[in-house]
Amino acid sequence: MGKGGSGIEAYGYLRWVAVVLFWLLSSLPLSPALGAASLPAMQVQAQSWRREGAGAWSCSPSPTTGAPRRQLRGVWIATVANLDWPSRPGLPAAAQQEEGRRLLDQARALGFNAVFVQVRPLGDAFYPSHYAPWSAYLSGVQGRSPGYDPLGFLLSEAHRRNLEFHAWLNPFRISFHDNLAALAPTNPARQHPAWVVHYAGALYLNPGLPAVRRLLAATVEELVRRYDVDGIHLDDYFYPYPVGKLPFPDSETYRQYGAGRYRSIGDWRRANVNELIATLAQTIHRLRPTVKFGVSPFGVWRNRRSDPSGSATEAAVTSYDSLYADTRTWIRHHWLDYIAPQLYWPIGFRRAEYTTLVRWWVHEVEGWPVHLYIGQAAYKIGSGGPWSDAEEMPRHLRFDLRFAAVKGEIFFRLRSVLADPLGFARRLRTALYRHPALIPVMPWLGGGPPAAPRALQAQLQPQGTSRWTVRLRWQNDPAGSVATTYYAIYRLDGVASPDPCALKTSTALLATQRGLDADWQVFVDQLVLPQTLYTYYVTALDRLHHESPTSTALVVHLP
């Protein structure tokens, strides 16, 4: 709705609606004989509102919770060493699936709207692949099938719960031991031992070999072609973390592919990783433009003592100098859709201070088409020092809300959150993430708002003495040209105007729900109070979270 006269006219219109509505409700018989029959709600035809711009929201965060209505709330689900799922290798398929459903239910209940699931923990896979054997974390033996497709299963279950699903890969890590013979015969490292580097008792694919980079590009292409994932995600493991002063043994590869072209072996290593990132970005967006590509690097790019544009930190390890991951180049070439630096330090920690690093990353992404999410160390909560303060992590989240460039958070890892250290899971559920949030739009990926839902209706359903639920149902507009992926359900107290700012507060968004392949969509609101008047609206969203205009208003009075 606009400003000035139109707002005054709408206010007068809604006052008239309220008077008529209350007169009708006061004369409406509420017979106990209705029993299980549903009492029809009163429907009010009101103006719908439209967003201004593609996914841009100008209203302030909710004054009640301080939380924005659009925020990525992600959690990593680690499969390496069976950290999160499955709980141990060798479980029957049905038990693995039951665990997976339970974890996704718990993630949804805590307010998360995205999961980052590790589908390539080592040189293995959680899906049938031409480029890697089955993971030993599934069956107990690398190369042995678990009897079903875990990625396909978990992806379907996540989408059913309207959770965005990002497939998380570790590109170069092969194993935590250095025995090639212990790998499955179909492991590329076993088939191509010249591609492998032995370092500090572990095995890695050599990033300096073009054949290795081609293998990784083919791996991602296979994933994107076969699975309807929302994102492809890499973490911080590129060249391995240095172990003491032990050098990474790739000098021969450098002489073959980099000497004479690069000033140093470090520049050559960074060029290798840059080439991989650029190739993956091109591959993903060529095959499926809606799939997001993101990386979660080590949280310090460079210290200021090494580069004046680096952060005011004194980290012993940096992304640029130690892991050869030049995240600045990736951002400025628009190879990434999001970046999620792992800021796993407390506020006030001198060598890598949390608020200093958040400000540095905010400045780093300003003006570039990339979303910034902050990686949070849930596993450290309650571990001692500042992490023994129950307010440490909530302070992180409140601090991040100061910056429009911070589009969300990702927590490592799910079972660490579910353990409820210092009551943090309860804080998420009851306060920090009490109200759901929509995922921010990435305009550069395309997409657009679907048509508004139509024919919104409601029925009151008795649930025992003096208890009711509200059963909403609605239809898609058949003339809409953009496919609807899910719906947002809004509830306001009283006879409420469809004011854009009222609907953009986090307290107005009641729930999101995946679209069903059916003529009618149904949502049941169980969080209702007797003798209350509510106004409901529903919107439709595409898979990239562009939101339609609202449905017409629906006013419901609870007896």
Side-chain angles (χ1 to χ4, degrees):
M1 294 178 66
K3 299 179 181 178
S6 62
I8 294 171
E9 291 167 5
Y11 177 72
Y13 168 79
L14 286 165
R15 284 190 63 192
W16 175 83
V17 167
V19 170
V20 173
L21 177 67
F22 278 113
W23 178 80
L24 288 169
L25 288 172
S26 65
S27 62
L28 184 68
L30 300 177
S31 170
L34 287 171
S38 300
L39 179 67
M42 303 302 297
Q43 184 162 359
V44 178
Q45 298 296 321
Q47 299 177 38
S48 63
W49 58 272
R50 293 181 179 272
R51 295 173 299 108
E52 296 179 1
W57 307 103
S58 58
C59 299
S60 301
S62 165
T64 305
T65 65
R69 194 182 68 101
R70 282 193 180 262
Q71 181 184 41
L72 181 119
R73 298 172 177 176
V75 63
W76 279 290
I77 298 179
T79 60
V80 66
N82 299 104
L83 291 176
D84 285 322
W85 181 75
S87 60
R88 60 181 176 84
L91 283 176
Q96 290 182 9
Q97 292 173 353
E98 180 57 32
E99 283 188 353
R101 291 190 191 96
R102 189 182 315 120
L103 288 174
L104 293 175
D105 283 339
Q106 291 170 314
R108 168 90 178 190
L110 289 175
F112 292 113
N113 55 24
V115 291
F116 297 74
V117 180
Q118 194 173 31
V119 301
R120 287 287 303 261
L122 295 169
D124 53 6
F126 267 61
Y127 55 95
S129 172
H130 294 296
Y131 304 106
W134 284 104
S135 175
Y137 300 127
L138 290 165
S139 66
V141 178
Q142 190 176 88
R144 179 184 295 170
S145 170
Y148 74 110
D149 181 350
L151 168 54
F153 164 77
L154 215 60
L155 173 62
S156 174
E157 293 292 328
H159 281 171
R160 187 171 289 119
R161 292 158 177 79
N162 201 37
L163 294 166
E164 210 175 54
F165 188 102
H166 294 246
W168 163 23
L169 297 79
N170 297 88
F172 297 111
R173 190 173 66 192
I174 298 172
S175 69
F176 296 128
H177 59 76
D178 65 354
N179 182 10
L180 272 174
L183 303 176
T186 56
N187 194 306
R190 180 92 174 265
Q191 295 174 336
H192 304 277
W195 294 1
V196 177
V197 176
H198 297 248
Y199 179 70
L203 298 176
Y204 300 88
L205 290 172
N206 188 343
L209 294 174
V212 165
R213 298 194 295 273
R214 287 194 295 269
L215 170 69
L216 297 176
T219 297
V220 169
E221 179 167 348
E222 177 185 58
L223 267 173
V224 174
R225 283 189 183 277
R226 289 179 49 195
Y227 294 96
D228 188 26
V229 296
D230 300 291
I232 295 294
H233 179 80
L234 307 183
D235 60 16
D236 51 323
Y237 291 96
F238 294 99
Y239 280 83
Y241 278 82
V243 177
K245 294 185 178 181
L246 185 66
F248 188 71
D250 62 347
S251 56
E252 193 60 42
T253 313
Y254 172 59
R255 278 192 289 272
Q256 183 176 357
Y257 292 101
R261 296 180 56 202
Y262 297 92
R263 292 180 303 173
S264 69
I265 194 170
D267 286 345
W268 170 71
R269 288 171 177 168
R270 279 182 287 273
N272 295 331
V273 179
N274 287 349
E275 181 185 314
L276 174 69
I277 297 297
T279 300
L280 296 187
Q282 181 183 35
T283 299
I284 291 164
H285 293 132
R286 171 176 53 84
L287 295 174
R288 194 171 294 181
T290 60
V291 173
K292 303 171 182 179
F293 179 39
V295 176
S296 178
F298 183 76
V300 178
W301 175 70
R302 298 194 87 185
N303 296 313
R304 187 172 292 172
R305 68 169 181 264
S306 302
D307 188 316
S309 66
S311 53
T313 51
E314 300 174 9
V317 170
T318 67
S319 175
Y320 183 95
D321 298 292
S322 308
L323 306 177
Y324 305 98
D326 185 5
T327 53
R328 171 175 288 174
T329 293
W330 308 346
I331 291 170
R332 297 188 178 185
H333 282 79
H334 192 203
W335 293 336
L336 302 180
D337 298 304
Y338 66 86
I339 192 161
Q342 298 174 22
L343 304 190
Y344 290 177
W345 302 280
I347 295 172
F349 180 63
R350 182 181 60 83
R351 299 185 65 182
E353 205 275 328
Y354 181 82
T355 65
T356 297
L357 284 164
V358 169
R359 288 189 175 97
W360 187 89
W361 281 102
V362 164
H363 180 266
E364 194 68 11
V365 302
E366 281 180 350
W368 301 102
V370 64
H371 278 183
L372 172 62
Y373 310 135
I374 303 301
Q376 302 287 359
Y379 72 98
K380 287 190 175 181
I381 300 174
S383 63
W387 293 109
S388 294
D389 181 355
E391 291 301 314
E392 178 64 29
M393 186 61 76
R395 274 195 291 267
H396 289 208
L397 306 189
R398 289 193 295 268
F399 180 79
D400 293 353
L401 291 176
R402 300 183 190 182
F403 305 96
V406 178
K407 303 295 186 183
E409 319 280 342
I410 311 176
F411 292 87
F412 186 82
R413 53 188 173 82
L414 180 54
R415 285 196 186 272
S416 296
V417 176
L418 294 177
D420 196 22
L422 303 181
F424 181 67
R426 178 179 52 81
R427 290 282 291 276
L428 282 178
R429 185 178 63 253
T430 62
L432 299 168
Y433 287 177
R434 177 184 175 187
H435 299 280
L438 304 179
I439 292 175
V441 171
M442 294 177 175
W444 56 89
L445 292 182
R454 52 199 292 271
L456 178 60
Q457 304 171 14
Q459 292 178 316
L460 306 185
Q461 298 180 323
Q463 303 292 318
T465 306
S466 302
R467 265 196 82 233
W468 300 80
T469 60
V470 178
R471 184 178 185 270
L472 300 174
R473 67 177 199 151
W474 63 88
Q475 289 181 308
N476 260 335
D477 187 336
S481 59
V482 177
T484 295
T485 298
Y486 69 102
Y487 299 90
I489 299 95
Y490 295 89
R491 189 184 73 185
L492 300 173
D493 292 335
V495 181
S497 157
D499 172 67
C501 286
L503 290 174
K504 291 174 190 174
T505 61
S506 61
T507 54
L509 182 59
L510 179 64
T512 66
Q513 179 170 284
R514 202 75 172 183
L516 302 174
D517 186 15
D519 291 338
W520 288 91
Q521 307 293 317
V522 175
F523 173 81
V524 179
D525 181 9
Q526 302 185 22
L527 304 175
V528 295
L529 298 174
Q531 300 181 2
T532 304
L533 195 68
Y534 293 124
T535 302
Y536 290 93
Y537 298 93
V538 178
T539 60
L541 296 96
D542 74 343
R543 71 173 298 144
L544 290 170
H545 314 289
H546 298 89
E547 188 170 24
S548 75
T550 63
S551 66
T552 52
L554 182 65
V555 178
V556 175
H557 180 257
L558 274 297

